[in-house]
């Protein structure tokens, strides 16, 4: 039975994957997200036990789901909610009525719950699979952004190098309002040693197409690390490196996290002023198309 | 007995690690490198069998060491030699007499043999450990470069950001000839998605200290990938991304590989002219201090 359930779950995931490629902002995507979240939450509630973790992050508490000694990643207790919150958000997302009807905090919690329930489900049922949770987060964000901007996603730009037209791959490129506004949006579960790439790509766009042609955003899930041996959670942050990137490489407009790392929160208070906010703020910052 | 041998091997590795931190260009380093290479080569010769691999790289052939079904990474047949070649190179390295006494091809083969014998030994005796082979390559290169430049290694630079002095970590910083010449040298086993960091760091140095203050080099091992299921070897290269980095981020002076990836070999033939050479050429390009 458990095996059948998992196979049904992965079939829905495959449908989501194909759906995103076909039409990232169709209502089908919404029902796949809803179905996967519901199944993951109910599987975890019925089968997993809760393991309390030691938090090394001031102001944050974490737990982990566990089955037969296999532990999921660390889950932030304050952010993680239930299916009801996820449903409310997905409902409003489908009808393009987010702004004004749900608070920034609740949007953030809903995104966290949707992403982390699936991630924990995969952590436990397919140990070592980092790719499925990673792409799932990208799909959720792609759906949210393409809905918001009423624009189809692209991952490619063509730039001139010498006599060649060279095609480069970015995480997400959105062209809005008849090409009047363009966004370069990096989407990553966590940055680790890959943060420089975000500012590097933004600089390529600034130089190839002119400053301010592409507005640069980065959307991340979290920067937590769980030491499985001692059940201890830390946040891996490199604020000085980030400040150097913003100063010497390019200027990202805003960085949105679902679980905002403490060490990045106040980077807007001194030069070069990196603005880091929770994902829910996006809907109150950026006017809808 | 096998366990005792491995424990002796790791003791020598720890001595190498401590030695590099204490004095990267002492003769002790040379004997640790020699001892580890001798032990790895003889262990592999006496215990492992050779598995032929399917090469998807034109002009390169590969094999893998195997014990009880555990396979090592892919080894380039033409580059991999024996202890004698490694000894000759390490001997000349110790007496600072490389240039003119050993060809660029033989230097390259010796570096490959030293690095890959240890890497294969670790692949087989401590499956999943990627870190030990990675740091070993960094130690070999650090020893070679600090000897060549008669300069102690550093990994930190301090840059001004706003009113702050911020300390940034680079792979290797060498200050030569009473600070008249400075090198920023990235050292990595393979670049994968981390290549942009090399050009990003170079740009930070160019902007913070002025163009041409730091000469930028990258030294890499190889870009091969072995599919363990079908025994097939490919090279993972992104030449267009590299050209964009060289054009829009910063200009690296030269890139040296031990096993030069085919797709990077000819990047010097059109703008923005990235020079990629085999590691042995370093000794014929850069005058010794």
């Amino acid at each position: 039975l458990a095996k059948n359930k998992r196979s049904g779950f992965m079939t829905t995931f495959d449908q989501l994957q194909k759906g995103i490629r076909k039409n990232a902002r169709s209502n089908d995507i919404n029902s796949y997200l809803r179905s996967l979240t519901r199944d993951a939450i109910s599987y975890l509630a019925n089968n997993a036990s809760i393991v309390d973790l030691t938090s090394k992050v001031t102001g944050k508490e974490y737990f982990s789901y566990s089955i037969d000694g296999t532990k999921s990643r660390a889950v932030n207790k304050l952010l993680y909610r239930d299916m009801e919150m996820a449903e409310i958000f997905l409902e409003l997302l489908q009808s393009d009525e987010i702004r004004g009807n749900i608070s920034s905090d609740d949007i953030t919690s809903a995104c966290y719950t949707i992403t982390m329930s699936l991630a924990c489900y995969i952590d436990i049922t397919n140990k070592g699979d980092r790719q499925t949770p990673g792409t799932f987060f990208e799909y959720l964000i792609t759906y949210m952004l393409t809905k918001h901007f009423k624009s189809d996603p692209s991952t490619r730009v063509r730039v001139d190098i010498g006599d060649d037209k060279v095609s480069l791959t970015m995480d997400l490129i959105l062209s809005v309002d008849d090409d009047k506004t363009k966004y370069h949006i990096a989407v990553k579960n966590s940055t680790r040693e890959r943060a420089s790439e975000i500012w590097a790509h933004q600089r390529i766009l600034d130089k190839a197409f002119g400053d301010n042609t592409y507005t640069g955003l980065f959307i991340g899930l979290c920067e937590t690390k769980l030491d499985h041996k001692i059940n201890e959670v830390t946040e891996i942050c490199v604020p000085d490196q980030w400040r150097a990137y913003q100063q010497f490489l390019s200027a990202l407009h805003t960085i949105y996290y679902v679980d905002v790392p403490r060490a990045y929160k106040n980077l807007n208070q001194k030069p070069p002023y990196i603005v880091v906010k929770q994902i829910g703020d996006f809907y109150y910052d950026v006017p809808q198309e």
Side-chain angles (χ1 to χ4, degrees), chain A residues 33-93:
Chain A
L33 292 171
R34 203 176 300 209
S35 153
L36 289 167
T37 305
R38 193 186 300 113
D39 288 354
I41 287 179
S42 88
Y43 177 87
L44 293 167
N46 294 328
N47 299 279
S49 57
I50 302 279
V51 178
D52 258 310
L53 303 172
T54 306
S55 170
K56 289 289 175 185
V57 189
T58 314
K60 296 189 183 180
E61 298 292 324
Y62 302 90
F63 71 90
S64 176
Y65 284 111
S66 169
I67 296 182
D68 298 336
T70 299
K71 279 200 305 274
S72 75
R73 64 194 61 200
V75 182
N76 181 325
K77 286 185 191 174
L78 271 176
L79 281 178
Y80 195 71
R81 303 279 270 279
D82 54 16
M83 191 60 209
E84 201 189 328
M85 177 59 72
E87 294 262 19
I88 291 169
F89 171 66
L90 287 169
E91 193 80 41
L92 290 167
L93 198 50

Side-chain angles (χ1 to χ4, degrees), chain A residues 8 17 20-21 26 33 54 62 90 129 138 162 173 183 194-195 237 265 281:
Chain A
Q17 191 146 41
I20 285 282
R21 282 179 200 144
S26 86
L33 292 171
T54 306
Y62 302 90
L90 287 169
D129 175 4
E138 285 166 33
I173 297 289
Y183 289 92
R194 290 159 298 154
C237 295
K265 223 167 208 162
D281 288 358

Side-chain angles (χ1 to χ4, degrees), chain A residues 16 20 24-25 29 33 89-90 93 107-108 110-112 114-115 133-149 151 153 171-172 174 184-189 217-222 256-259 278-280 282-283:
Chain A
L16 171 64
I20 285 282
R25 48 200 164 111
I29 306 299
L33 292 171
F89 171 66
L90 287 169
L93 198 50
I107 296 167
T108 303
C111 289
Y112 191 75
I114 293 168
T115 308
T135 49
F136 182 73
F137 179 63
E138 285 166 33
Y139 297 155
L140 171 65
I141 297 298
T142 302
Y143 174 64
M144 287 165 60
L145 294 180
T146 54
K147 282 286 281 180
H148 189 81
F149 288 123
S151 162
D171 285 1
L172 190 58
L174 289 174
H184 160 234
I185 306 164
V187 183
K188 296 184 194 306
N189 270 36
L217 306 178
F218 164 53
I219 300 183
L221 175 57
C222 62
Y256 296 101
Y257 268 99
V258 185
D259 182 4
Q278 64 182 9
I279 182 74
F282 170 82
Y283 288 92

